[in-house]
Amino acid sequence: MQRQRADSAEEDVHSDLVISLTQAVLGGTAKVKGIYEDHLLTIPSGTQSHERFRLSGKGIKRVHSSGYGDHYVHIKIAIPRRLTKEQKALVAAFAETETVTGGTVNGTTSAGKDKRTVADDPDDVLLRIRQALSSKSAAAPQPPPAAAPSQTAGSSEETKKEAKTEPKKETKKGTKKGTKAETETGTETGAKTETDTTKTKSKRGG
């Protein structure tokens, strides 16, 4: 909802923009109808009622000089008059969590310093909200303990050293030594035995 009015002294434009309670609390965007075109206004979270935003150069075209005036947007917050039981319970839960700054809230009682509680909850909607909030807080996952950097680095280096060194030692021991043993048994010993047999035959023939 928006209402526009022009500034009689200048080429500026002023308009009222009504936003919802959730838009004011959480922030959002709203369309502003301009003189020549519409604008999308960004509403910061925590916007207060009667707060003013300026759209520079979005006003009326100046007659005796170049350029345009400005467009000022005045915020109005619409407070809902009727709430469902779920909405009312949510607002009551918020009332229990906020810090008391003075005065009272209908349907709540004092619960110690700067705290209040809601006693009237016929459908247990507020109770379920409390349980959901408490269970979510209790079930919050704890971060796993961080490993010591020195131990992790040392384990990593030892693993790499074993993976790199061990196969090399096995290859050297199994291949080189095995080949040498096979050569000594199959070639040198065999040749020596064959020579001894030939000499024995020669002596008998002589």
Side-chain angles (χ1 to χ4, degrees):
M1 185 183 299
Q2 184 179 347
R3 183 180 63 186
Q4 285 188 347
R5 58 187 181 275
D7 195 320
S8 58
E10 301 177 1
E11 292 82 3
D12 293 339
V13 175
H14 295 261
S15 62
D16 296 333
L17 178 64
V18 180
I19 64 175
S20 68
L21 177 63
T22 52
Q23 283 179 311
V25 174
L26 302 177
T29 59
K31 184 182 289 186
V32 177
K33 187 173 180 60
I35 297 297
Y36 306 105
E37 60 182 356
D38 294 343
H39 312 289
L40 192 64
L41 178 67
T42 299
I43 303 169
S45 60
T47 295
Q48 304 298 311
S49 185
H50 302 289
E51 197 165 341
R52 187 177 76 170
F53 294 92
R54 175 189 177 190
L55 302 176
S56 181
K58 302 302 181 181
I60 301 172
K61 182 177 175 59
R62 294 189 175 94
V63 178
H64 302 291
S65 61
S66 61
Y68 294 81
D70 298 329
H71 187 162
Y72 293 92
V73 181
H74 302 261
I75 299 297
K76 309 290 184 182
I77 300 175
I79 304 299
R81 296 178 181 273
R82 296 179 181 177
L83 298 173
T84 65
K85 62 180 181 181
E86 289 81 7
Q87 291 172 330
K88 190 173 181 179
L90 288 169
V91 176
F94 177 77
E96 289 186 341
T97 59
E98 70 175 345
T99 303
V100 178
T101 56
T104 62
V105 176
N106 291 343
T108 66
T109 57
S110 178
K113 185 179 179 182
D114 299 335
K115 294 293 181 182
R116 59 170 69 97
T117 185
V118 179
D120 186 18
D121 186 24
D123 298 318
D124 292 335
V125 179
L126 180 58
L127 177 62
R128 291 197 295 270
I129 294 175
R130 291 191 191 116
Q131 291 173 345
L133 293 175
S134 61
S135 63
K136 184 177 180 181
S137 177
Q142 299 295 328
S150 58
Q151 295 178 358
T152 305
S155 301
S156 178
E157 289 179 4
E158 289 176 6
T159 304
K160 290 180 180 179
K161 187 175 180 180
E162 290 175 3
K164 186 176 180 181
T165 307
E166 195 63 23
K168 186 176 180 181
K169 289 174 67 177
E170 288 178 0
T171 304
K172 182 178 179 181
K173 181 178 180 180
T175 305
K176 190 172 180 181
K177 189 172 181 181
T179 305
K180 184 177 180 181
E182 186 177 347
T183 304
E184 288 177 350
T185 306
T187 306
E188 295 182 5
T189 308
K192 187 175 181 181
T193 304
E194 186 177 352
T195 305
D196 292 341
T197 305
T198 305
K199 288 181 180 180
T200 304
K201 289 181 180 181
S202 299
K203 287 178 180 181
R204 288 178 181 177

